[in-house]
Amino acid sequence: MERPQEEAVEAHLYVSMVPEALIVSQLTPEQFGQYYATGHARLSKGQVVFFELDPDFRHPYFPLDEAFERAIPHPDGSPKNSVYVSTYRVIEHIPASAVRTLYLATDYGNTIGIPRGEGVPSPDGGLHLYQELAPVRSLVAASLAPREFYESITVSTSKFVSFPALCFAELSLGELAMDPENGAVGNLPYDNMFHLRECLVDVQDPEKDTKMVERAPAVRFPYRIVKQGSGFYYGNGDELAYFPMPDHGFLKSNHSLWWTSANR
């Protein structure tokens, strides 16, 4: 009697922001978030920000067909966790059109998906704080709205240093967005608040629209400080994809385990 044919395991294509890496995996996004955040033996923990890409995406820079061929189950039938395709100059070769869903995994591996939003939010006034995720990891104060900030260092830049692509998140400033000198700090968790205030005051000068707050911080931040009404951005060339940060009340009600894990 013939054994029933096993159902093929689908392979997914993920791009991680920290560290920047392109990975083929047979794990679902939720399984991959758990695996990538906690490690195979669950001996390490780390926050993970990654995107799922169109599995049909191809670029001559990446040996993707070979990577998909290698993404086969182990002899015991368990799925292949990861096949690393590239860990160098990754996002500059991935257009925003290939990016589908953003996933945020906590230190404990709890993972939620955020679908791509329509357009990019209109400028809301006030100052901004951006955590760059890839290819650089600086924390930057700016007077520029997200699209203006992105374009100022990519497609229409006059700056000496520029990038072909950029992924970043906008962080909340609370009262500091409108009053950097005297606004209440509240529960903002940033280190060296005096320095942050100085940077925000400086970018109010029309001649200086951005200033680096931290050159290479450890890219880990409570997801609760990602600005509501804004969120995460992935841009390459002229296209900028936007992934809106969900309302905190929605997260508490519908993803309570993730919310608790994200804010420990």
Side-chain angles (χ1 to χ4, degrees):
M1 183 177 178
E2 293 186 2
R3 296 178 58 186
Q5 192 172 28
E6 293 185 1
E7 186 177 345
V9 179
E10 181 182 4
H12 301 263
L13 186 57
Y14 301 121
V15 58
S16 165
M17 294 298 100
V18 185
E20 187 181 357
L22 183 62
I23 302 166
V24 174
S25 173
Q26 290 189 305
L27 302 177
T28 66
E30 292 74 16
Q31 292 169 334
F32 182 77
Q34 176 76 60
Y35 158 75
Y36 210 49
T38 63
H40 185 66
R42 302 174 187 265
L43 297 177
S44 61
K45 289 184 173 66
Q47 191 180 65
V48 177
V49 176
F50 67 98
F51 297 89
E52 182 168 19
L53 304 182
D54 180 347
D56 294 327
F57 166 71
R58 296 293 184 273
H59 190 288
Y61 185 77
F62 304 118
L64 279 165
D65 289 329
E66 180 183 349
F68 274 98
E69 289 173 1
R70 294 186 180 187
I72 58 175
H74 295 285
D76 64 359
S78 60
K80 182 72 172 179
N81 291 330
S82 58
V83 176
Y84 278 79
V85 182
S86 180
T87 58
Y88 177 66
R89 295 180 62 186
V90 174
I91 71 168
E92 68 180 88
H93 295 102
I94 301 176
S97 59
V99 178
R100 287 185 169 177
T101 304
L102 166 66
Y103 289 92
L104 305 178
T106 71
D107 291 353
Y108 297 87
N110 304 101
T111 304
I112 62 166
I114 299 177
R116 184 167 173 166
E118 294 293 332
V120 173
S122 300
D124 61 358
L127 303 174
H128 305 267
L129 183 64
Y130 298 113
Q131 175 63 71
E132 297 171 334
L133 299 173
V136 292
R137 303 177 186 176
S138 302
L139 184 65
V140 181
S143 60
L144 304 174
R147 180 176 289 281
E148 295 171 328
F149 171 72
Y150 169 73
E151 292 181 349
S152 75
I153 50 179
T154 55
V155 292
S156 59
T157 183
S158 59
K159 291 181 169 57
F160 187 69
V161 176
S162 63
F163 306 103
L166 184 68
C167 179
F168 62 96
E170 181 171 8
L171 306 186
S172 177
L173 283 170
E175 292 186 14
L176 302 187
M178 302 304 295
D179 185 1
E181 291 185 275
N182 303 302
V185 171
N187 64 349
L188 297 177
Y190 308 121
D191 296 328
N192 199 346
M193 190 60 67
F194 179 77
H195 175 61
L196 175 59
R197 287 184 188 272
E198 281 189 326
C199 293
L200 292 169
V201 169
D202 286 348
V203 299
Q204 291 180 310
D205 183 340
E207 300 298 318
K208 189 173 186 62
D209 51 29
T210 63
K211 184 165 184 178
M212 193 174 297
V213 180
E214 291 185 59
R215 182 171 289 104
V219 182
R220 186 192 182 288
F221 49 88
Y223 289 129
R224 67 174 175 80
I225 66 169
V226 177
K227 184 178 177 180
Q228 296 184 81
S230 189
F232 293 80
Y233 300 82
Y234 180 103
N236 187 315
D238 292 330
E239 188 178 10
L240 181 63
Y242 164 56
F243 299 83
M245 187 64 187
D247 175 77
H248 291 177
F250 171 83
L251 291 172
K252 292 175 184 177
S253 298
N254 296 275
H255 300 279
S256 57
L257 183 60
W258 181 90
W259 179 260
T260 300
S261 173
N263 294 291
R264 287 180 178 173

